[in-house]
Amino acid sequence: MRSPAKLALLLCIFFASRGAPAQTPAAPIKLMVDASESPRQIWHARLVIPVKIGPLTLYYPEWIPGEHMPDGPIVNLAGLKIFAGGKPLAWRRDLVNMFAFHLEVPEGVDTIEVQLDYLLAGVSSKYSSGASATAQLALLSWNQVLLYPQSKPINELTYEASLHLPEGWQFATALPVARRSGSSVEFAPVALNTLVDSPVLAGAYFRVIPLTRDAAPRHEIDLAADSEAALAMGTEEIEHYRQLVAETGALFGSRHYRDYHFLVSLSDDLTHFGLEHHESSDDRVPERTFLDEGLRLYEADLLPHEFVHSWNGKYRRPADLATPDYQQPMKDDLLWVYEGLTQYLGDILTARSGLFTPEQFRESTAYIAATLDYRAGREWRSLQDTADSAPLLYAAPDEWTAWRRSIDFYDEGALLWLEADTTIRQQTRGKRTLNDFCRSFYGGPGGEPALKTYTFDELVGALNDVAHFDWKGFFTERLNSHAPHAPLGGIEQGGWRLTYSDEPNLSQTASEQAHRNLDLSFSLGLVLDEDGTVRDVIPGMAAAKAGLGPGMKIAAVSDRQWSVDLMREAIRGAKPSARPLQLLVANGEYYKTYSLDYRGGIRYPHLERDSSHSDLLSEIIKPLASRGK
Ligand SMILES: [Zn+2]
């Protein structure tokens, strides 16, 4: 449940202590990480921590910024040993908080040494605690290889880190380098929050692509791949990313970082996702993303999305997500802004920079809108509850997604922000747009990374400064709605309508290729793996009515052995005159034939122009910055 809007206007401004002197003269914590055994899936770390006599609690980071949940990979921490003056010190884990280690510092001891290993193999987690290293590359997130004392907020703890890499590997990071010698790197001392916000990408096959030529701040794409061939990003693609940098400048007006690194890892053996940081992003995509048009299209909005987070999420952050350390729980109720608006801005920047053609943007919007329109679970779970329960939904299985709902605050949040953008344009007769909001809300002096928190009421106030409207009512109604359909008002006000035809949707085709699945949500109400395994059924639709459920596996379609093409053709032929579709289905060790009463043919979503409204959607995705800057 979302708490009622807060009356107090809380404007907290924290400045990351990057570059600023530490508030106490305490010596920095030294962290030495040996990643030379990355290919065999183990990292070793050693910390030297200044201490005082008496009880001491050390923490392993639990709530990881940007992941919005307590998923610090504590299960992969091993080999923990603590020494004082060369002698072992006993530690005991807290019986309630598995991330806390208690010990007693003896008299005469002013530093302790902590040794630990991080185990990479066999991880089943998602996001940054997922698969992070291969034979040829690694992505190191510092929170995985350190402990920190309870003594102070994390922006007041200084860490001096060093890293040893496999022989011959190159690396990139937003973390300032103090010196380098062969495979060893020493970094400048920084606050703990900056360290954890500055992962390192390293690998044997490496390429640095500068995106800004002379002008500061510097922007670059750093690629590490499992093969030399995968590094071949084309010149046209590079120009689109240069345009992306120019478009963010035109949209936001200032930048809150010293320079920016897209840390892109190209591998089929890593967990695939993106994670935002203030001065970089951790972008993990399939190895052939820049070689294969389907994969390129599927991943096209990833870098724009993570880049937008430098403004929306890192610089401006909901107050409830700006916690003083990694143990205090985060409250996710405003993720429809943090993630939803980022999704919207990321999508339109993908189009403005040329990474999407206008048609690809519309196809992507249609597929998103249609998927949400078939979320049967909106009957019991509001959009607000998808944000409130984000820590549960991020970890949810694929089965029963339509009924459980998913992290819908991303895509449905984007639909709300499209509706907000078109509403501003209508209310002001085209004089103001959401671009004006972005300039005022995310602007500021820029330069050093800063954090400026906000509340729901402050967001509403900032929107009212752009266009006077009942924004509180607008969002509250949509966030708490149990209407059976998705909020499509933005598409309609934008001059388009959601329709279906038997022509494949470009975005859906790319998604099916990436996920190796078959999405029949809009016909049978069924999502299948390539091998016929049922992943999801949509309550109320033909497959669910016939009795199919997740985990079953289709063995034959009308008496013939299952294949994706056969299934597609069978549905294409499911017209009014046709006989019911017969599916032979395995459920564990049992087989049964199901008869599906469906005669609507194959259906793919598209946007169709509605000439009774002006074409705001096309207006929104026009570039703001001049080309070739
Ligand atoms: Zn995001």
Side-chain angles (χ1 to χ4, degrees), residues 276 305-306 309 339 342 410:
E276 65 274 21
H305 176 105
E306 302 309 337
H309 271 315
E339 293 297 354
T342 299
Y410 283 79

Side-chain angles (χ1 to χ4, degrees), residues 136-151:
Q136 305 298 344
L137 61 87
L139 196 301
L140 173 78
S141 306
W142 295 100
N143 57 284
Q144 294 170 340
V145 288
L146 62 81
L147 299 180
Y148 70 99
Q150 196 186 18
S151 53

Side-chain angles (χ1 to χ4, degrees), residues 85 157 342 546 597 609:
L157 285 171
T342 299
D597 188 16
R609 181 77 181 97

